[in-house]
């Protein structure tokens, strides 16, 4: 009996040793080796998404269209040429019968009101200046979106790896419990065996649930990483992709460490007043784009006021007359004239157009105010969550994780010495696994919050060059993740 107890004790001690080993290293039989060449890095995912974003290409075309139109609207309208026969007698249609009969060639040119052409050109030029800021904002949003998806996929990948590492230990504990129960000499009960098998089944279910989540994030991530090009043929358009793998996307094993911009105001317990905080985000590209839109609509007010001025037109014509019936030469005729309108009744037209242009400008101003409030609210939310998250990280690191590991070690030691409960060993190991996954989730959520906060400050970021850390930075007008050139 004592000999068998020694065997059981050694078996449990072996499990304890395997526990320490599996916590530190992954089981090579269950987890494939990830090479740096095949794995998708955080930086590569973001840069690839930014590079292959069709929205950016479409935005460039929109800017080109506006710039081309600004040149077109600043040009005088085409002159008009008229050809005709005037005063042709209908009692014989003889061109030389009457002195009034003539063949006329005329040309007319209209001149828009006041400085309409210059103002239209200025308006479209200002409107086109907003597009680079729109692209900068879009690139930054893509960085946040794709970076968050990558981090979510990373969390799922590493959670699966943690469960796989712990599953081997639970299998060993189940084998030991079964051996102890079958000998009828140990303290193991039948319910301990059932509990061990139940926990293994639950681990399998958690892996299936995580696998579903992994497929979900892979699909969302592939939306940004798939590259398509359109090849136009004589009959139809063909969509060609780069054979990107839409399934089983392998990520690197390293969690990125993102530099926090303006950490001096974010990581403090004090909170800036909205007016003070607004200075840090006043140059945000989305706000600058709206400001350009406001300037464009203000130019529309000037354009509407030009309609109080008359529109001028210049016309000239040459009339050819044939010789009279006696053979005498008749003089040809030349005519010139000026036309203009009289904007006298302005109450229901010009006045209303100016009022409409003013209202449009005020409406765009409210868009800027709403956007500013949204950015300030996003900062308040992200900062509050980050501070609370860091408190939890410190709690996990300094107290919770050491206590949970101590409890697991103590329960395993007690069970090894025939003084503990097998169910407590299982519960403690489940608690360790859950705590490790929770810590992983906290670390991932921290990086996601840093992405959100850095997006708010992209208007005040200086270029950052680093080989180890990453940051949203301005580089030749593009928002990128530095550290991976």
């Amino acid at each position: 009996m004592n000999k068998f107890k020694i065997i059981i004790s050694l078996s449990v001690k072996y499990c304890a040793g395997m526990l320490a080993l599996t916590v530190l290293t992954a089981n090579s039989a269950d987890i494939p080796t990830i090479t740096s060449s095949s794995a998708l890095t955080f930086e590569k995912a973001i840069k690839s998404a930014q590079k292959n974003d069709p929205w950016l290409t479409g935005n460039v075309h929109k800017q080109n269209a506006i710039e081309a139109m600004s040149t077109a609207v600043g040009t005088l309208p085409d002159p008009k040429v008229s050809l005709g026969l005037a005063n042709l007698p209908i009692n014989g249609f003889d061109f030389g019968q009457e002195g009034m009969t003539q063949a006329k060639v005329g040309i007319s040119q209209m001149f828009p009101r006041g400085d309409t052409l210059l103002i239209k050109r200025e308006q479209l030029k200002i409107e086109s200046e907003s597009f680079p800021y729109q692209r900068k904002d879009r690139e930054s949003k893509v960085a946040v979106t794709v970076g968050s998806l990558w981090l979510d996929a990373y969390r799922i990948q590493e959670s699966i790896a943690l469960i796989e590492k712990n599953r081997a230990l639970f299998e060993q504990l189940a084998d030991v419990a079964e051996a102890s129960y079958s000998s009828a000499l140990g303290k193991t009960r039948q319910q301990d065996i059932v509990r061990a098998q139940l926990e293994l089944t639950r681990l399998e279910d958690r892996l299936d649930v995580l696998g579903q989540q992994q497929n979900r994030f892979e699909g969302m991530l592939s939306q940004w990483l798939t590259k398509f090009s359109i090849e136009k043929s004589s009959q139809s358009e063909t969509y060609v992709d780069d054979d990107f793998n839409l399934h089983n996307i392998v990520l690197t094993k390293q969690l990125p460490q993102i530099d926090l911009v303006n950490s001096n105001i974010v990581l403090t317990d004090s909170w800036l007043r909205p007016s003070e905080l607004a200075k840090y985000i006043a140059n945000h590209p989305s706000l600058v784009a709206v400001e350009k839109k406001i300037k464009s609509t203000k130019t529309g007010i000037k354009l509407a006021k030009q309609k109080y001025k008359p529109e001028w037109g210049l016309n000239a014509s040459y009339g050819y007359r044939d010789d009279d019936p006696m053979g005498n030469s008749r003089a040809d005729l030349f005519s010139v004239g000026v036309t203009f309108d009289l904007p006298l009744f302005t109450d229901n037209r010009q006045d209303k157009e100016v009022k409409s242009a003013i209202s449009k400008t005020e409406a765009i101003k409210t868009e800027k105010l709403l956007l500013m409030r949204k950015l300030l609210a996003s900062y308040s939310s992200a900062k509050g969550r980050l501070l609370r998250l860091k408190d939890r990280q410190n709690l996990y690191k300094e107290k919770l994780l050491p206590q949970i590991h101590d409890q697991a070690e103590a329960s395993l030691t007690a069970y090894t010495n025939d003084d503990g409960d097998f169910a407590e060993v299982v519960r403690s190991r489940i608690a360790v696994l859950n705590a490790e996954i929770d810590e992983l989730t906290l670390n991932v959520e921290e990086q996601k919050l840093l992405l959100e906060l850095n997006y708010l400050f992209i208007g005040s970021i200086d270029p950052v060059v680093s080989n180890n850390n990453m940051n949203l930075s301005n580089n030749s007008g593009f928002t990128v993740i530095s550290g991976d050139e």
Side-chain angles (χ1 to χ4, degrees), residues 140 247 273 401:
S140 302
H247 185 58
R273 297 175 61 86
L401 281 175

Side-chain angles (χ1 to χ4, degrees), residues 158-178:
E158 295 306 304
S159 297
I160 292 174
L162 285 172
I163 293 177
E164 290 286 358
K165 287 191 294 184
N166 282 270
R167 182 168 61 174
L169 174 64
F170 281 104
E171 290 174 350
Q172 294 167 11
L173 289 176
D175 292 340
V176 171
E178 187 174 355

Side-chain angles (χ1 to χ4, degrees), residues 290-348:
V290 176
E291 183 62 32
K292 293 292 183 181
K293 193 175 179 181
I294 293 174
K295 290 183 178 179
S296 177
T297 55
K298 284 183 178 179
T299 309
I301 299 176
K302 295 167 58 178
L303 185 63
K305 290 181 178 180
Q306 296 302 307
K307 299 204 176 167
Y308 289 104
K309 300 178 180 180
E311 183 179 32
W312 293 83
L314 179 66
N315 60 80
S317 63
Y318 170 79
Y320 168 78
R321 296 194 301 173
D322 200 1
D323 296 340
D324 63 16
M326 304 299 296
N328 297 320
S329 175
R330 293 191 179 109
D332 297 335
L333 304 177
F334 175 76
S335 303
V336 64
V338 176
T339 61
F340 58 92
D341 59 3
L342 296 175
L344 298 178
F345 309 103
T346 62
D347 291 345
N348 294 326

Side-chain angles (χ1 to χ4, degrees), residues 7-192:
I7 294 175
I8 297 297
S9 177
L10 290 175
S11 299
V12 177
K13 289 179 179 179
Y14 172 75
C15 290
M18 289 300 297
L19 171 62
L21 179 62
T22 53
V23 168
L24 297 176
T25 60
N27 191 327
S28 59
D30 295 330
I31 302 176
T33 302
I34 299 177
T35 61
S36 58
S37 59
S38 62
L40 178 65
T41 65
F42 180 77
E43 303 91 333
K44 183 179 179 181
I46 291 178
K47 288 187 175 181
S48 178
Q50 290 174 331
K51 180 180 179 181
N52 303 313
D53 187 10
W55 189 96
L56 297 175
T57 303
N59 187 266
V60 171
H61 288 302
K62 289 181 180 179
Q63 181 180 359
N64 293 338
I66 296 295
E67 290 176 347
M69 185 59 65
S70 68
T71 302
V73 299
T75 306
L76 286 173
D78 294 331
K80 296 180 180 180
V81 176
S82 61
L83 302 174
L85 290 176
N87 306 314
L88 184 67
I90 62 173
N91 60 350
F93 297 99
D94 185 359
F95 187 80
Q97 177 181 332
E98 302 292 339
M100 296 171 57
T101 304
Q102 55 187 298
K104 295 185 67 176
V105 177
I107 185 171
S108 62
Q109 175 68 58
M110 297 301 297
F111 298 91
R113 308 173 191 274
D115 296 327
T116 298
L117 297 183
L118 294 177
I119 295 175
K120 282 185 176 181
R121 176 183 293 180
E122 179 186 0
Q123 184 181 35
L124 291 177
K125 182 180 179 181
I126 295 174
E127 184 178 346
S128 68
E129 291 174 355
S130 68
F131 287 94
Y133 294 97
Q134 293 176 11
R135 290 195 294 272
K136 187 176 180 181
D137 180 61
R138 170 71 176 191
E139 288 170 342
S140 302
K141 286 182 176 178
V142 169
V144 175
T145 301
V146 176
S148 297
L149 289 174
W150 190 97
L151 289 169
D152 283 327
Y154 172 86
R155 173 178 58 83
I156 300 299
Q157 173 183 281
E158 295 306 304
S159 297
I160 292 174
L162 285 172
I163 293 177
E164 290 286 358
K165 287 191 294 184
N166 282 270
R167 182 168 61 174
L169 174 64
F170 281 104
E171 290 174 350
Q172 294 167 11
L173 289 176
D175 292 340
V176 171
E178 187 174 355
S180 177
Y181 177 75
S182 61
S183 66
L185 297 176
K187 295 176 59 178
T188 305
R189 298 163 295 179
Q190 184 178 9
Q191 66 185 39
D192 295 335

Side-chain angles (χ1 to χ4, degrees), residues 197-397:
Q197 294 298 329
L198 175 61
E199 294 301 335
L200 283 172
T201 304
R202 285 180 174 174
L203 288 180
E204 293 292 338
D205 179 65
R206 291 181 69 175
L207 288 173
D208 290 337
V209 172
L210 289 173
Q212 290 179 332
Q213 296 178 6
Q214 188 176 37
N215 291 335
R216 173 172 171 262
F217 288 118
E218 284 179 352
M220 297 172 67
L221 192 59
S222 64
Q223 170 189 350
W224 296 96
L225 301 180
T226 305
K227 293 185 293 186
F228 278 97
S229 60
I230 302 177
E231 294 183 355
K232 294 184 178 180
S233 61
S234 59
Q235 298 180 351
S236 62
E237 294 181 346
T238 304
Y239 292 85
V240 181
D241 69 285
D242 62 343
D243 296 327
F244 177 78
N245 186 16
L246 299 179
H247 185 58
N248 292 332
I249 301 176
V250 180
L251 309 179
T252 54
K253 302 287 292 181
Q254 183 179 3
L255 180 66
Q257 299 299 315
I258 301 172
D259 289 338
L260 177 61
V261 180
N262 293 325
S263 58
N264 56 322
I265 66 171
V266 176
L267 299 180
T268 60
D269 293 332
S270 60
W271 292 73
L272 294 177
R273 297 175 61 86
S275 58
E276 297 173 342
L277 183 60
K279 298 177 182 178
Y280 289 89
I281 62 176
N283 293 325
H284 194 279
S286 62
L287 291 174
V288 177
V290 176
E291 183 62 32
K292 293 292 183 181
K293 193 175 179 181
I294 293 174
K295 290 183 178 179
S296 177
T297 55
K298 284 183 178 179
T299 309
I301 299 176
K302 295 167 58 178
L303 185 63
K305 290 181 178 180
Q306 296 302 307
K307 299 204 176 167
Y308 289 104
K309 300 178 180 180
E311 183 179 32
W312 293 83
L314 179 66
N315 60 80
S317 63
Y318 170 79
Y320 168 78
R321 296 194 301 173
D322 200 1
D323 296 340
D324 63 16
M326 304 299 296
N328 297 320
S329 175
R330 293 191 179 109
D332 297 335
L333 304 177
F334 175 76
S335 303
V336 64
V338 176
T339 61
F340 58 92
D341 59 3
L342 296 175
L344 298 178
F345 309 103
T346 62
D347 291 345
N348 294 326
R349 191 168 191 174
Q350 284 87 345
D351 291 351
K352 298 301 182 182
E353 289 182 357
V354 172
K355 184 177 180 180
S356 174
I358 294 174
S359 296
K360 287 181 180 179
T361 302
E362 296 301 319
I364 301 299
K365 288 181 179 179
T366 61
E367 288 185 17
K368 184 178 180 180
L369 292 177
L370 290 172
L371 181 56
M372 175 68 78
R373 290 170 58 181
K374 181 180 178 181
L375 294 176
L376 292 176
S378 298
Y379 169 82
S380 177
S381 173
K383 175 178 177 176
R385 286 181 289 153
L386 181 63
L387 294 179
R388 292 292 185 183
L389 185 141
K390 285 191 171 294
D391 290 340
R392 292 189 63 193
Q393 285 179 318
N394 293 332
L395 181 64
Y396 265 74
K397 182 178 180 180

